């Protein structure tokens, strides 16, 4: 079964200019019907919604926040308000997936304790997610290169936290780039994450360029993802090394031929 692809417009289609509306138009012209964004705060949501509607494009994920250190219980109440606003902004654009990350860990607490505090924060978000009918996507991000000091660096961290929260509103986003950079073996990780898996994102490694620019065997990787039961869209979250439509040609061909 072919995979449908989505494009993160924070990285993709930069050649269309700084306006997200113009990148949506460029993505649609290149044949993409799903896109992803990071933070929606302080953006022109009506203009973005109009561009999505005009071009028949769907926003499938956005991010609540990058910086809040959720291992600190003092941040939890404020983060509830941050999450609610992010979820309401997402809904205004027809999106029901909101990514939540752990923020930085601390050196003076054992890892299981820190993961438990993070899980406590998420438990406070679940009623908001239920009220608004959105899904919380937990994402682990590599600490070796892109996000030094982050608490949830390994995919297992997100799985453990999801298990502690134990809610259908909390799922896991598996980013193959972050996983590979962190030294994980996707063949070992995917069976473990599969019961929680709600979204997959990709970039090549090393370099975080488009698939085909690094060392990952993408035909084998897509087959591995499919073999573990994932059938949803795959998000291209990479820094293209050339014009986006051309850079994404290989992964589009591979995804279509699966």
């Amino acid at each position: 079964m072919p995979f449908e692809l989505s494009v993160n417009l924070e990285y993709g289609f930069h050649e269309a200019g700084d306006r997200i509306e113009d990148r949506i138009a460029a993505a649609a012209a290149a044949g993409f019907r799903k896109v992803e964004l990071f933070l929606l705060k302080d953006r022109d949501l009506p203009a973005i919604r109009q561009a999505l509607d005009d071009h028949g494009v769907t926003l499938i994920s956005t991010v609540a926040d990058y910086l809040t250190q959720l291992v600190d219980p003092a941040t939890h109440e404020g983060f509830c308000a941050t999450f609610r606003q992010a979820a309401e902004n997402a809904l205004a654009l027809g999106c029901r997936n909101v990514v939540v990350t752990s923020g930085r860990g601390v050196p003076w607490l054992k890892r299981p304790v820190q993961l438990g505090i993070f899980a406590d924060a998420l438990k406070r978000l679940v009623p908001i997610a239920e009220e608004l009918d959105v899904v919380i996507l937990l994402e682990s991000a590599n600490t070796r290169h892109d996000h030094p000091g982050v608490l949830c660096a390994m995919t297992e961290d997100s799985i453990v936290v999801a298990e502690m929260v134990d809610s259908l509103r909390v799922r896991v986003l598996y980013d193959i780039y972050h996983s590979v950079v962190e030294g994980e073996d996707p063949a070992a990780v995917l069976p473990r994450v599969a019961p929680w898996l709600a979204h997959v994102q990709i970039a090549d490694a090393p370099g975080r360029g488009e698939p085909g620019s690094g060392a990952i065997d993408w035909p084998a990787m897509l087959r591995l993802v499919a073999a573990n039961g994932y059938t949803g869209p795959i998000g291209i979250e990479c820094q293209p090394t050339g014009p986006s439509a051309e850079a994404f040609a290989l992964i589009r061909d591979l995804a279509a031929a699966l």
Side-chain angles (χ1 to χ4, degrees), residues 133-154:
D133 192 18
V134 298
V135 175
I136 300 165
L137 296 182
L138 300 184
E139 181 178 11
S140 294
N142 81 82
T143 190
R144 298 188 184 190
H145 186 270
D146 295 276
H147 302 280
V150 71
L151 173 62
C152 289
M154 307 294 287

Side-chain angles (χ1 to χ4, degrees), residues 37-39 61-72 75-76 79-80 82-83 86 97-105 114-115 117-122 125 135-143 146-154 157-158 161 170-175 178 201 208 237:
L37 293 171
F38 289 157
L39 303 182
S61 79
T62 183
V63 179
D65 177 67
Y66 299 121
L67 299 178
T68 303
Q69 192 175 29
L70 290 173
V71 72
D72 179 1
T75 68
H76 292 184
F79 191 74
C80 285
T82 296
F83 176 80
N97 294 316
V98 182
V99 178
V100 173
T101 59
S102 64
R104 294 174 65 86
Q114 295 187 67
L115 294 177
I117 296 172
F118 181 31
D120 289 342
L122 294 168
L125 300 184
V135 175
I136 300 165
L137 296 182
L138 300 184
E139 181 178 11
S140 294
N142 81 82
T143 190
D146 295 276
H147 302 280
V150 71
L151 173 62
C152 289
M154 307 294 287
D157 297 327
S158 288
V161 171
V170 177
R171 303 284 94 184
V172 174
L173 185 167
Y174 179 53
D175 188 305
H178 286 305
Q201 291 177 340
R208 203 170 187 172
E237 189 176 288

Side-chain angles (χ1 to χ4, degrees), residues 204 210-213 218-219 222 245-256:
D204 217 329
E210 71 277 3
S213 64
W218 287 103
L222 293 182
E246 298 174 17
F248 300 153
L250 173 64
I251 192 63
R252 291 188 71 179
D253 289 345
L254 293 175

Side-chain angles (χ1 to χ4, degrees), residues 22-43:
D22 293 334
R23 295 184 197 175
I24 291 169
F32 292 97
R33 292 292 174 260
K34 288 182 167 58
V35 297
E36 305 179 33
L37 293 171
F38 289 157
L39 303 182
L40 297 178
K41 183 180 179 182
D42 299 327
R43 283 183 154 160

